[in-house]
Amino acid sequence: MTKITLHNTKTRKKEVFTPIDEENVRMYVCGPTVYDRAHIGNARPVVVFDVLYRLLRHVYGEDHVTYVRNFTDVDDKINARAIENVGKDGDVNAEIARITDMTTQWFLDDMGALGALEPNAMPRATQYIPQMVAMIQTLIEKRFAYVVRSESNNPPEEYVLADREALLGEHALFEVEKYERYGQLSGQSTEDMIAGARGEKAPGKRSPMDFVLWKPSTPDLPGWDSPWGRGRPGWHIECSAMSKALLGDRFDIHGGGRDLMFPHHENEIAQSCCANGTDEMAQVWMHNEMLQVEGKKMSKSLGNFFTVRDLLDQGVPGEVIRFVFLSTHYRKPMDWTEQKRREASRELDSWVTSLSVDHELLDNPIDLGQCDQQIVAALADDLNTSFAITKLKATAKFIDNSREFLHLSEPRQLEVRRIFVASAFLLGFDLVELAKQMRNRPAAKDLEYYTLSMVYERSQAMETKDFTEVDRLKAALLNAGVEVRMTKDDVELVPGPDFDPSKLEALK
């Protein structure tokens, strides 16, 4: 069995991954808060952990991996967006339901366009309120949490304009001081953690680091009955309750973006370990680094903020976005640039072009058992997707009519192509489907002259072993935006999206 090593944020080092139960490898990844389109930074962890999910299924079997990614559909940001849309006098709850249903589907559609498999379970927070209430009760009973009556304190600013009678409920707060290992995941100092926790307001906190488990709701906002009055859960308790319900008290891998390490993941660990009486919540914690655009932090004020849907609507294929993401190791900051997009598009087009004339390859299913073992080993080495992409590039170059490849027997050529497409599929690129789509595009009539020229020059080169003129013609065609498809017996030229006929006039 392939040995997988993963960098564990908890221990700050790479470790051999040994699942708790090889028959049921379990992974939880924090999903989106659904109130708007996912920007490209939101998409990076989806693609990263999709590759890990594919690798785990490849190693342990599809039926032996359980992947959970949640939707947060109860949150102050959602409430604010609903009020913005319909006003405080409108039906806010109905608008919240509309927003969360719509944006959840948006997310699934956009991530599907990037080639991401859907997880085994995608729980919505509102489906697990009873489990959250039960976990909070356990924490209070064990004296890891306490309750503060809202009416006896100055309410937070967000409540000042609310109906006072609606605030006759209680906040439940986790007492961080009671959990000695708090801060070990992020490794932050107490001062840094206090600074990072200041954004979460609640009356009667015993410490600035204490965080909300439950808070009151006004009648116009979502709320559920609880021992502390009508209210709604804090953000952090949601993932603890859902992961426990679906994966158990302890599971193998917990993932997410680096921005979630503190306070969210730190708080998850505290809640879960204290409520469940365990030493750990997950064996391995993994965090992807953040994303920039053209070397700068993505920001609406800088005009470099865009969503996945923006790119898709501009004609950037999902596989190109995925390619750019995976070209950088997940633990390194990723810089999205227009140059990288163009290079990824050209590379993928060349891959697909070289495969599109192989009918036997395209008309048979992909066998993942034929994956290049160097690529499997790269992914098993802490998801080294950048090396895997480099290896795929080298294989594609070899397949694209290199002299060595053309001298292979036809069965061996087919085998090499099958290994190539299986390896790409493990990374989430369905080259067979893309090649089928390309195969169905009509060829341009005005390229017949150059097709005949290429056929003649290649036949001459096969006899003289001098491919200089073939290489020159091919370079000129590619520069003009023409895709060059060659097999042992045929040459086909197909105009690409950037086809410029004027660049070919000098060849006549």
Side-chain angles (χ1 to χ4, degrees):
M1 181 178 289
T2 301
K3 182 176 74 173
I4 298 175
T5 59
L6 301 172
H7 185 272
N8 191 348
T9 304
K10 184 172 61 176
T11 60
R12 317 289 196 270
K13 62 183 180 181
K14 278 204 301 189
E15 300 172 342
V16 175
F17 174 64
T18 305
I20 297 168
D21 177 5
E22 288 189 0
E23 295 298 310
N24 184 20
V25 182
R26 290 161 290 163
M27 176 170 71
Y28 186 96
V29 174
C30 290
T33 299
V34 282
Y35 67 98
D36 209 341
R37 288 281 186 186
H39 58 69
I40 60 169
N42 300 140
R44 192 182 190 197
V46 174
V47 173
V48 165
F49 291 103
D50 178 68
V51 174
L52 179 55
Y53 180 40
R54 291 170 181 270
L55 175 65
L56 293 172
R57 284 158 49 108
H58 182 73
V59 173
Y60 295 100
E62 292 184 10
D63 296 333
H64 301 290
V65 180
T66 304
Y67 174 23
V68 177
R69 187 185 67 223
N70 72 293
F71 287 106
T72 293
D73 59 347
V74 52
D75 187 88
D76 290 341
K77 292 179 181 178
I78 301 172
N79 298 344
R81 178 60 56 86
I83 293 171
E84 178 185 332
N85 289 352
V86 301
K88 291 187 176 181
D89 296 329
D91 191 340
V92 176
N93 281 290
E95 180 62 9
I96 287 171
R98 187 192 72 83
I99 289 172
T100 55
D101 287 347
M102 176 178 65
T103 53
T104 295
Q105 191 58 52
W106 282 354
F107 183 86
L108 293 174
D109 292 344
D110 291 349
M111 298 308 110
L114 304 188
L117 301 173
E118 290 195 354
N120 302 97
M122 295 182 287
R124 294 173 65 142
T126 52
Q127 299 170 334
Y128 287 81
I129 301 295
Q131 289 88 340
M132 297 175 203
V133 170
M135 181 172 278
I136 295 168
Q137 284 180 300
T138 298
L139 289 168
I140 292 171
E141 291 167 3
K142 291 185 173 184
R143 300 184 181 278
F144 290 110
Y146 58 96
V147 176
V148 177
R149 185 97 175 147
S150 299
E151 63 172 340
S152 63
N153 297 274
N154 293 323
E157 185 177 338
E158 64 184 285
Y159 294 138
V160 169
L161 299 178
D163 179 1
R164 293 292 305 183
E165 291 301 315
L167 292 180
L168 297 181
E170 297 173 319
H171 277 79
L173 300 165
F174 186 91
E175 190 167 5
V176 169
E177 190 177 82
K178 295 288 185 69
Y179 184 59
E180 294 181 354
R181 293 195 294 274
Y182 192 83
Q184 288 186 0
L185 178 70
S186 60
Q188 294 194 80
S189 67
T190 301
E191 291 76 13
D192 288 341
M193 287 191 290
I194 290 174
R198 290 191 192 282
E200 190 170 39
K201 297 179 180 179
K205 278 189 176 185
R206 295 175 183 174
S207 163
M209 289 196 297
D210 293 353
F211 57 89
V212 173
L213 300 170
W214 189 264
K215 57 186 172 183
S217 281
T218 54
D220 58 318
L221 294 177
W224 293 263
D225 291 333
S226 79
W228 319 287
R230 183 177 180 278
R232 60 190 189 273
W235 174 36
H236 312 297
I237 196 68
E238 297 173 11
C239 289
S240 286
M242 288 185 282
S243 63
K244 175 182 172 68
L246 294 168
L247 299 177
D249 292 353
R250 290 175 63 242
F251 51 93
D252 297 296
I253 300 167
H254 195 315
R258 186 176 181 274
D259 57 320
L260 298 181
M261 192 186 308
F262 182 86
H264 186 51
H265 288 167
E266 202 75 74
N267 292 352
E268 279 190 60
I269 292 171
Q271 295 165 157
S272 294
C273 291
C274 292
N276 300 329
T278 57
D279 290 334
E280 63 181 7
M281 179 185 184
Q283 286 199 116
V284 179
W285 287 81
M286 297 177 65
H287 295 91
N288 64 274
E289 262 293 351
M290 309 310 290
L291 179 145
Q292 296 179 319
V293 176
E294 302 289 351
K296 296 179 180 179
K297 182 178 180 181
M298 188 166 60
S299 168
K300 290 181 179 179
S301 63
L302 294 175
N304 65 354
F305 179 96
F306 46 89
T307 67
V308 173
R309 179 51 51 181
D310 289 335
L311 290 175
L312 295 172
D313 288 346
Q314 291 166 17
V316 181
E319 62 270 14
V320 169
I321 301 171
R322 186 182 185 96
F323 191 101
V324 175
F325 281 1
L326 296 183
S327 296
T328 300
H329 192 275
Y330 79 94
R331 286 196 295 112
K332 293 183 178 180
M334 201 211 87
D335 191 15
W336 175 275
T337 67
E338 178 61 19
Q339 180 180 347
K340 288 181 180 179
R341 183 204 65 75
R342 288 195 301 267
E343 290 173 352
S345 181
R346 283 197 296 266
E347 186 71 33
L348 282 168
D349 281 348
S350 70
W351 293 6
V352 173
T353 297
S354 69
L355 302 173
S356 60
V357 293
D358 192 330
H359 298 285
E360 185 173 355
L361 175 73
L362 302 190
D363 294 336
N364 287 284
I366 297 172
D367 179 7
L368 283 177
Q370 290 187 303
C371 285
D372 185 328
Q373 289 308 300
Q374 284 188 320
I375 289 177
V376 174
L379 297 182
D381 182 14
D382 194 32
L383 296 186
N384 193 348
T385 57
S386 55
F387 179 86
I389 292 287
T390 299
K391 184 66 169 64
L392 283 175
K393 287 180 179 179
T395 304
K397 188 174 181 180
F398 174 71
I399 289 174
D400 190 18
N401 297 292
S402 69
R403 298 167 194 175
E404 295 85 354
F405 182 78
L406 290 172
H407 282 93
L408 296 176
S409 66
E410 287 191 5
R412 178 56 183 156
Q413 286 185 5
L414 179 61
E415 181 184 5
V416 171
R417 286 194 176 105
R418 283 177 171 164
I419 292 171
F420 177 63
V421 298
S423 303
F425 194 78
L426 183 59
L427 272 86
F429 300 103
D430 191 347
L431 299 183
V432 168
E433 179 59 32
L434 294 173
K436 287 179 180 178
Q437 294 172 13
M438 178 176 283
R439 183 175 62 180
N440 295 330
R441 296 180 197 165
K445 293 284 186 182
D446 58 357
L447 290 176
E448 290 180 0
Y449 169 83
Y450 304 102
T451 302
L452 294 173
S453 295
M454 181 63 85
V455 169
Y456 173 76
E457 294 297 343
R458 195 174 68 152
S459 65
Q460 292 293 104
M462 293 296 287
E463 293 181 10
T464 64
K465 308 304 179 186
D466 181 1
F467 286 79
T468 303
E469 184 61 18
V470 172
D471 292 341
R472 186 186 73 84
L473 278 174
K474 185 176 179 182
L477 289 163
L478 292 173
N479 183 57
V482 178
E483 297 163 355
V484 182
R485 306 177 183 179
M486 289 194 288
T487 63
K488 275 189 172 182
D489 304 314
D490 191 25
V491 173
E492 184 179 6
L493 306 182
V494 179
D498 301 322
F499 176 47
D500 183 356
S502 65
K503 293 183 178 180
L504 294 177
E505 291 303 313
L507 293 177
K508 286 190 175 180

